[in-house]
Amino acid sequence: LGCGLRTCYRYLNQTSRSFAAVIQALDGELRHAVCIFYLVLRALDTVEDDMSIPLDVKVPMLQEFHSYLYQPEWKYMESKEKDRQVLEDFPTISMEFRNLSKVYQDVISDICHKMGVGMAEFLEKKVDSQHEWDKYCHYVAGLVGIGLSRLFSASELEDPIVGQDTELANSMGLFLQKTNIIRDYLEDQMEGREFWPREVWSRYAQKLSDLAKPENIEMAVQCLNELITNALHHVPDVLTYLSRLKNQSVFNFCAIPQVMAIATLAACYNNKQVFRGVVKIRKGQAVTLMMDATNIQAVKAIMYQYVEEIYQKIPSTDPSSNKTQQVIASIRAMSLPGSSMASRHHYSPIYLSCAMLLAALSWQYLSTLSKATEEDVQAGEN
C-alpha cells in the first residue's frame, strides 16, 4: 500500500466502529474503492452534522461537495466534529479517490453529488409524511446501497444486475437506516434531532418528545410497533438482493448488517425500553449472527427466526397488529424453513473459516451495532 492509502485505512479504522472490519475483508481492488467511498461519505456527513457551520455556508458546501473530489487542495479546517480529521486531511482522501479506476470514480462522485443535494434539502425541513421518511432514508442510506451495488458490479465480482436494480439496493439501505432511526429515538431526542415521521407519531402524541413521558408509554409502544412494521416491508427486497450475490466477501459485507438489523428490530418490538434507555443485542448473539450469516439459506433461516419472535410478541390490542401479521406472512413465505433450516449448519470448511475470521476481526463491529451509535453510513450511514 502507498502512504496515502495506508492513511486512508487508518482513518477508516478511526471513524467507522462498525464497517472497518467488513470493508477490509472485501476482495481485490473493490476493498480500496469501498474504503474511499466510505471516507468521502463520512466527510460529507461530518459537514451535515456540524452545527457550528452556518446554513448559508453549509448548504452550498453539501451541494458542491462532489466537486471537491477533483480539487487537490480543498480541505475544511473549521469543523468542531469528532471526525473532523477526514475534512482537515481531505487532500489525501481526494488524491486516493483520483487514483481509483474511472469506473469507481464515476460511481462515488455521482452518489456524493446526489447525497449532498438531498442532505441540503432536509437541513431545512422536518420529516413529515411516510413518503418523506423514505426519501430522507434514500438520501442518507439508500444511495449508499445503490453506490455500493454499482461498485460491486464495476469490480466484476458481481453481475451487472446487482448495480442496475436500484430498487432492491435502495431497500438494503432503507432497512438499515430505519432500524437505526427507530432504535435511536431517545439518543436523538437528547441531542435535539427528530427523524420519526410526523404522519405516524402525530397519531399517538402531540409532540414527538411526549412519547418519552412515562404516562404516554402505551401510545409510545404502539407508535414504535407501527414504525417497525413499516421497516419490515423492506425484508423481502433484502432477501432477493442477497440471493443474487455470488462473491463470498461481498455476501458477508452485505448480509451481516442486515441480520444485525432484524435482530435489533426484534429486540425493540413492543419494548418500552426504547423510550427509557438503550436496547442492545447481546454480544454473543451478535457473534453467532456474524458467524452464521455466510450463505443465503442461513440468512433466510435467521430472518425467519426473528420475524417469528416478533410474531409471538404481537399484542392483540395493537392497532398495527393486522399489518404486522401480514408483512410477517410475506417474509415467512420467502424464507420457509425446511430446506433452509436444514442447510443452516452444513457449511463447507471455507465458510467456517471465513466466518471465524470475520467474527475475530469484527469484535468492534458489534460493539456498535449492539450499542446505539448510529451506524451512519449504512455502510455509509448516515
Side-chain angles (χ1 to χ4, degrees):
L1 287 192
C3 167
L5 256 182
R6 264 208 303 276
T7 303
C8 287
Y9 279 101
R10 193 172 81 243
Y11 293 153
L12 173 68
N13 284 292
Q14 284 164 359
T15 56
S16 162
R17 288 110 357 227
S18 37
F19 273 97
V22 270
I23 289 175
Q24 286 165 113
L26 288 168
D27 290 344
E29 51 179 22
L30 178 61
R31 180 188 311 144
H32 302 326
V34 173
C35 173
I36 301 305
F37 185 35
Y38 180 90
L39 292 175
V40 168
L41 298 188
R42 164 58 67 227
L44 179 66
D45 195 57
T46 303
V47 172
E48 185 204 26
D49 279 348
D50 194 331
M51 293 308 172
S52 71
I53 307 174
L55 268 189
D56 59 331
V57 176
K58 192 189 279 194
V59 168
M61 219 169 138
L62 291 172
Q63 292 168 334
E64 295 305 311
F65 203 86
H66 64 109
S67 68
Y68 306 151
L69 291 167
Y70 296 99
Q71 298 173 30
E73 308 298 306
W74 189 88
K75 56 185 175 187
Y76 184 75
M77 307 301 289
E78 272 79 71
S79 179
K80 304 281 181 283
E81 292 291 293
K82 65 176 184 331
D83 292 336
R84 62 181 175 274
Q85 196 160 23
V86 292
L87 290 169
E88 293 176 354
D89 191 20
F90 199 74
T92 299
I93 296 168
S94 70
M95 178 180 70
E96 291 305 328
F97 164 82
R98 293 187 302 277
N99 283 340
L100 294 171
S101 309
K102 185 169 187 299
V103 273
Y104 299 130
Q105 288 185 38
D106 291 347
V107 172
I108 294 170
S109 165
D110 179 48
I111 298 293
C112 183
H113 186 192
K114 290 178 170 138
M115 194 181 285
V117 169
M119 284 174 163
E121 180 187 324
F122 275 91
L123 276 182
E124 324 211 29
K125 65 175 185 189
K126 285 251 193 291
V127 181
D128 278 329
S129 63
Q130 295 185 64
H131 172 73
E132 284 202 324
W133 198 36
D134 280 3
K135 193 172 171 186
Y136 172 74
C137 292
H138 164 72
Y139 286 141
V140 299
L143 282 170
V144 181
I146 291 167
L148 285 166
S149 302
R150 287 167 57 191
L151 294 177
F152 300 155
S153 294
S155 73
E156 298 186 357
L157 291 176
E158 296 296 346
D159 290 342
I161 184 68
V162 173
Q164 287 159 1
D165 196 334
T166 55
E167 261 319 292
L168 293 187
N170 189 58
S171 291
M172 293 284 285
L174 264 59
F175 186 58
L176 297 185
Q177 189 66 21
K178 287 179 178 182
T179 298
N180 288 332
I181 287 173
I182 290 166
R183 179 201 57 198
D184 293 342
Y185 167 82
L186 202 61
E187 187 186 321
D188 287 336
Q189 276 299 305
M190 296 195 290
E191 297 188 17
R193 298 187 300 245
E194 301 203 341
F195 298 114
W196 283 25
R198 174 187 298 270
E199 182 190 338
V200 175
W201 65 251
S202 62
R203 283 188 260 114
Y204 300 93
Q206 297 271 262
K207 298 201 303 291
L208 182 55
S209 56
D210 291 346
L211 294 177
K213 297 179 177 166
E215 64 269 24
N216 299 331
I217 193 67
E218 258 67 34
M219 294 296 258
V221 168
Q222 290 178 3
C223 181
L224 168 71
N225 291 349
E226 181 173 344
L227 289 181
I228 290 175
T229 302
N230 172 304
L232 289 172
H233 282 89
H234 300 294
V235 172
D237 278 358
V238 167
L239 292 174
T240 304
Y241 180 97
L242 293 174
S243 69
R244 288 180 178 168
L245 301 177
K246 306 248 168 67
N247 176 275
Q248 186 69 53
S249 74
V250 171
F251 186 89
N252 295 343
F253 177 89
C254 294
I256 289 171
Q258 303 292 333
V259 296
M260 296 292 190
I262 191 78
T264 301
L265 289 182
C268 291
Y269 184 79
N270 208 46
N271 188 348
K272 299 172 177 172
Q273 197 52 36
V274 172
F275 303 96
R276 297 172 177 167
V278 179
V279 173
K280 296 186 180 187
I281 54 178
R282 298 186 315 281
K283 267 277 167 60
Q285 185 183 5
V287 172
T288 305
L289 285 174
M290 292 180 56
M291 292 182 58
D292 281 356
T294 54
N295 64 71
I296 188 62
Q297 290 302 44
V299 169
K300 284 181 173 181
I302 291 168
M303 291 283 188
Y304 189 96
Q305 175 198 325
Y306 284 111
V307 297
E308 211 46 50
E309 197 178 295
I310 293 172
Y311 192 86
Q312 300 303 327
K313 289 196 280 194
I314 301 173
S316 51
T317 54
D318 192 89
S320 307
S321 62
N322 280 357
K323 268 193 179 157
T324 312
Q325 287 168 342
Q326 277 170 1
V327 68
I328 289 178
S330 66
I331 296 168
R332 276 195 186 131
M334 284 193 72
S335 58
L336 280 173
S339 61
S340 28
M341 282 309 228
S343 68
R344 184 168 169 191
H345 290 298
H346 298 299
Y347 299 130
S348 62
I350 180 119
Y351 273 144
L352 274 174
S353 57
C354 239
M356 307 291 270
L357 176 66
L358 259 160
L361 265 174
S362 322
W363 196 251
Q364 46 158 350
Y365 180 74
L366 322 173
S367 29
T368 350
L369 269 133
S370 38
K371 271 213 316 272
T373 7
E374 136 126 61
E375 179 32 342
D376 10 276
V377 206
Q378 150 236 47
E381 189 151 327
N382 220 110

